[in-house]
Amino acid sequence: MVLSSARRAAMVAVSAAMALAFSAACAGATPGEEPPAAGTRSAPDTSGVVHSSPASPAPQSFSPTPRPAVDDRARALGFVDVRTAVPDAVVDLRYATPRNFVGERLYPANARCLVHDSLVPGLRTASENLRARGETLVFWDCYRPHSVQQRMFEKVPDPAWVAAPGPYSTSHESGRSVDVTLAARNPNCPVHRRVGPGLCLVDMGTDFDSFTPNATAYATQGVSASAQAARARLRKAMAAGGLEVYPGEWWHFDGPGADVRRPIIDVPLA
């Protein structure tokens, strides 16, 4: 999710300033990690948000029922289910529920998290690094059909908040960007943070789709030290797999080729 170009530029400027503060305050937490320079995001995302949405109490990743093969149209474009790369992934697609900035379900209830197969090696590397620390990737958004982006803009036709759909697909629309967070085992997890048997969302400082200064990737003001460290762990793991954080959103990561404009892609999610 992303704001229009003007608001995105403002977000990135804020993020760049916060990155300097983060480097001074938390350099010891993630040795070797350097914040990207302002404006270095490789892919313009294709949506925006207005409101935060509460954590989902019922993600989709724990059904023992085998899922059918990926739709032939999606497979022909190189799309795979994210569990090809991350078998223990928690899939909590917020747009498959009404708990999102639009306030309505935009994906089918049985939507799967599809990614382009070029992301598979990187996501596998990231998940292995996190698994060694007892943490698991939670996926909030993956491939997003072009028609859904159109519906978002119809619902909120304000380019200051929702980017108008273009005659091409990039980022989420091409399956080359993901929105992710972390979960870990916690027997004392509050109900609203539970994402599966024994799994608890890690405190990252804000929820998904929270477009406030606190949601920028390197925010320090209003973000606890533990949340800053958690964001840094996520960035470091994803960077090890070649996925770059978008400075305006701590949860958004772009894979190789996310910025390339491709013909419009609109294939089934289920």
Side-chain angles (χ1 to χ4, degrees), residues 57-255:
Q60 308 163 29
S61 60
F62 300 99
S63 171
T65 305
R67 302 204 66 179
V70 171
D71 184 273
D72 289 343
R73 289 163 288 182
R75 189 166 60 250
L77 292 170
F79 287 173
V80 298
D81 192 301
V82 75
R83 292 187 186 91
T84 300
V86 188
D88 60 347
V90 176
V91 177
D92 182 17
L93 298 180
R94 292 295 182 86
Y95 297 126
T97 78
R99 298 181 301 275
N100 57 64
F101 78 96
V102 178
E104 63 186 47
R105 180 174 288 156
L106 299 172
Y107 296 168
N110 63 339
R112 66 171 85 220
C113 172
L114 297 177
V115 296
H116 189 262
D117 59 12
S118 61
L119 267 62
V120 168
L123 290 174
R124 183 174 292 131
T125 295
S127 64
E128 288 172 352
N129 287 355
L130 291 166
R131 196 176 296 120
R133 296 183 54 92
E135 293 178 320
T136 302
L137 281 173
V138 178
F139 288 81
W140 279 331
D141 200 22
C142 307
Y143 161 67
R144 181 188 310 145
H146 183 77
S147 57
V148 170
Q149 181 61 35
Q150 291 175 313
R151 288 173 63 191
M152 288 178 173
F153 192 73
E154 289 169 2
K155 185 72 174 181
V156 185
D158 182 354
W161 293 105
V162 179
Y168 48 80
S169 288
T170 63
S171 191
H172 283 290
E173 285 191 46
S174 66
R176 289 166 171 84
S177 297
V178 292
D179 295 333
V180 294
T181 188
L182 298 175
R185 297 283 172 187
N186 181 354
N188 300 314
C189 183
V191 172
H192 71 282
R193 300 188 68 82
R194 294 177 188 170
V195 288
L199 283 175
C200 189
L201 286 174
V202 173
D203 177 17
M204 306 295 279
T206 74
D207 193 20
F208 180 52
D209 281 3
S210 171
F211 273 82
T212 65
N214 291 354
T216 56
Y218 295 91
T220 55
Q221 186 173 0
V223 181
S224 69
S226 62
Q228 291 177 47
R231 293 182 187 188
R233 292 196 304 275
L234 178 60
R235 289 195 303 270
K236 185 175 181 179
M238 297 294 275
L243 287 93
E244 178 185 6
V245 72
Y246 165 46
E249 302 169 351
W250 62 259
W251 56 81
H252 179 103
F253 291 84
D254 294 316

